[in-house]
Amino acid sequence: MEEDTIVALSSGALPAGIAVLRISGPGAAPAMAALAGGVPEPRRASLRTFRDASGGTIDCGLALFFPAPHSVTGEDLAEWHLHGGRAVVAAALGALTALPGLRLAEAGEFTRRAFDNGRIDLTEAEGLADLLAAETEGQRRQAVAQAGGALRALYEGWMRRLVRLRALLEAEFDFSDEGDVGDDVAAGVIEGVAALAGEMAVHLQSARRGEILREGFRVVIAGPPNAGKSSLLNALARRDAAIVSAVPGTTRDVIEVSLDLGGVPVRLADTAGLRATSDTVEAIGIERARRAMAEADLVIALLDGSDTSPATEATHGETATSPVLCVLGKADLLLPAAALPAHDLAVSSATGEGIERLVAILAARAAETVGDPAAVLPARLRHREIVADALGLLTDPALSRLPPELVAEALRRAGDRLGALTGRVGVEDLLDVIFSEFCIGK
């Protein structure tokens, strides 16, 4: 399949003002010559009439050609810029795939070929996938940094340091009789390993920030039945995402909406009301609510500002292990101040009172947790697991007591493990999964 020439629409949904067809592989130049009247000068747009095999006109547009290896895929690559009508694109694709050895591309195949041909490494490919999926400014900035090689530079820098430390050790036991080899190289190597391990540990500590940027800052609204949780979710989402009813126990499951607050993705969840119940289905919903509270980055403990009954422990969020923001709902119906429980702010989903302030607080909490979106963060579980594995090899307490030969072997294994981050070693079984995240034509 790698010898095939592939083609796909690379410019998005139709109809559109312009459609870009991309052709990559050894048949790109012959296809251009056969259907566009010749191959244009490399990297220069040329106005062409595109024709099918029978000579019928498909469309007039621009043709570009990028010879290997100086293309995004590392192969000969051609682009047709046509009018973005569905019939135009269908006719062009039909004419191209009728040529011998030319077929439609699979999802992510252009990027996979760029990786296979050394144009990008695996972290850059993952960054490109994240960039295509980015929905907030923070996600875009993180993805741009990764796609630009920020993670690759960091991880390859660690690998070079490990190679140098190995070289010092091997010089000690291979050339110990030479005058320019120190007497106590091993001690210096252990110090170098400790310094590198410290940097790796700090990098891992930032993993949650990267996960939040990719997956979202998780906020759970919790409280007793009829406190106004679903109404608050709808007010924050600015749409009717959850059913609102005066009947206690209406919400039985966790209902999520996604928000973009200050460029940080926020996943806001409405949960079942917390109370003692004999209803089996409601009890399952309450258990899911408690689980969501435990996994949240922030819990909004919502109290009913019009309720005269004493607040329960769960209502106040005191059973939550996550940070808690205590909010009084139904601010338009508040009891006298002396009767109100302690709270951080009051809101009314009916009138909008306090909603903007609550949004500002959520945005500030999310931004504070994430920090700089452009920082070099281990954005994926794969990154975190591999760095943790390598760190485990470098922080083994027995390392300082091992003979130099075994220390060098441990460093080699750690370096090979880091090589899986950029795709140098041991990732063949992951490639199909990673590149399947891309759309057709990318």
Side-chain angles (χ1 to χ4, degrees):
M1 293 179 67
E2 293 180 357
E3 296 179 357
D4 292 344
T5 299
I6 56 175
V7 59
L9 173 67
S10 296
S11 54
L14 301 174
I18 296 175
V20 178
L21 300 187
R22 181 178 287 174
I23 311 156
S24 182
M32 185 74 86
L35 304 182
V39 180
E41 184 178 346
R43 289 173 292 279
R44 284 195 170 227
S46 175
L47 181 63
R48 296 297 173 104
T49 297
F50 301 97
R51 305 180 187 277
D52 58 26
S54 64
T57 299
I58 298 171
D59 194 14
C60 293
L62 297 178
L64 294 97
F65 182 70
F66 305 88
H70 305 296
S71 71
V72 294
T73 60
E75 303 174 325
D76 283 349
L77 186 137
E79 287 186 358
W80 290 11
H81 295 218
L82 310 171
H83 293 94
R86 291 189 176 91
V88 173
V89 171
L93 289 175
L96 286 165
T97 54
L99 299 174
L102 205 151
R103 61 173 174 82
L104 292 175
E106 297 178 356
E109 194 167 3
F110 287 94
T111 309
R112 172 68 178 267
R113 292 189 178 200
F115 169 76
D116 289 339
N117 292 322
R119 299 296 291 174
I120 58 174
D121 81 299
L122 202 52
T123 63
E124 290 168 321
E126 291 168 326
L128 181 56
D130 289 344
L131 184 60
L132 296 174
E135 296 180 345
T136 71
E137 175 63 12
Q139 290 174 327
R140 183 196 67 80
R141 291 180 61 191
Q142 182 190 45
V144 165
Q146 185 173 332
L151 275 179
R152 174 187 53 77
L154 176 67
Y155 296 150
E156 288 187 347
W158 290 350
M159 293 164 64
R160 286 192 295 270
R161 288 165 65 180
L162 285 173
V163 169
R164 181 177 179 277
L165 292 170
R166 281 178 54 202
L168 290 173
L169 276 179
E170 291 169 2
E172 181 183 40
F173 57 75
D174 285 342
F175 306 103
S176 57
D177 56 339
E178 300 291 336
D180 57 351
V181 176
D183 294 330
D184 195 17
V185 172
V189 168
I190 294 299
E191 291 179 6
V193 169
L196 177 56
E199 294 178 25
M200 294 168 67
V202 170
H203 183 65
L204 277 180
Q205 289 170 4
S206 68
R208 180 61 188 142
R209 293 166 52 200
E211 181 183 354
I212 289 174
L213 266 176
R214 290 194 78 242
E215 305 296 336
F217 183 79
R218 294 174 296 187
V219 179
V220 170
I221 305 174
N226 283 359
K229 299 183 297 299
S230 298
S231 296
L232 181 58
L233 178 85
N234 291 344
L236 291 170
R238 302 183 188 277
R239 62 185 177 89
D240 292 334
I243 296 174
V244 176
S245 169
V247 178
T250 298
T251 301
R252 297 294 185 98
D253 208 346
V254 177
I255 299 172
E256 284 195 354
V257 296
S258 296
L259 307 177
D260 178 355
L261 299 184
V264 179
V266 174
R267 290 164 51 194
L268 183 65
D270 178 24
T271 59
L274 301 175
R275 65 173 179 177
T277 180
S278 59
D279 186 309
T280 304
V281 176
E282 186 180 2
I284 294 173
I286 292 172
E287 176 58 32
R288 291 183 179 181
R290 296 190 186 281
R291 189 161 57 244
M293 291 170 65
E295 296 172 352
D297 297 300
L298 177 68
V299 173
I300 296 178
L302 186 64
L303 309 179
D304 187 342
S306 65
D307 189 359
T308 59
S309 62
T312 65
E313 179 184 48
T315 300
H316 282 308
E318 293 172 5
T319 59
T321 56
S322 308
V324 175
L325 182 69
C326 192
V327 176
L328 270 184
K330 306 180 183 178
D332 52 318
L333 304 173
L334 284 182
L335 296 168
L340 296 177
H343 58 279
D344 296 304
L345 77 159
V347 302
S348 170
S349 301
T351 67
E353 177 185 345
I355 295 297
E356 291 304 319
R357 185 183 171 203
L358 177 56
V359 169
I361 291 173
L362 296 180
R365 293 284 188 99
E368 181 183 3
T369 303
V370 167
D372 182 6
V376 183
L377 306 173
R380 295 182 175 232
L381 177 62
R382 185 182 78 88
H383 304 165
R384 301 192 290 273
E385 289 179 340
I386 292 174
V387 173
D389 288 349
L391 180 60
L393 290 168
L394 299 181
T395 55
D396 187 337
L399 197 64
S400 61
R401 301 190 298 271
L402 294 175
E405 295 87 345
L406 295 183
V407 174
E409 173 61 16
L411 299 188
R412 183 195 65 78
R413 291 172 58 199
D416 285 350
R417 197 71 187 103
L418 291 176
L421 287 165
T422 58
R424 286 190 178 185
V425 294
V427 295
E428 289 76 10
D429 56 336
L430 286 174
L431 296 183
D432 289 340
V433 175
I434 290 172
F435 290 106
S436 67
E437 297 179 10
F438 289 85
C439 56
I440 301 293
K442 194 61 182 176

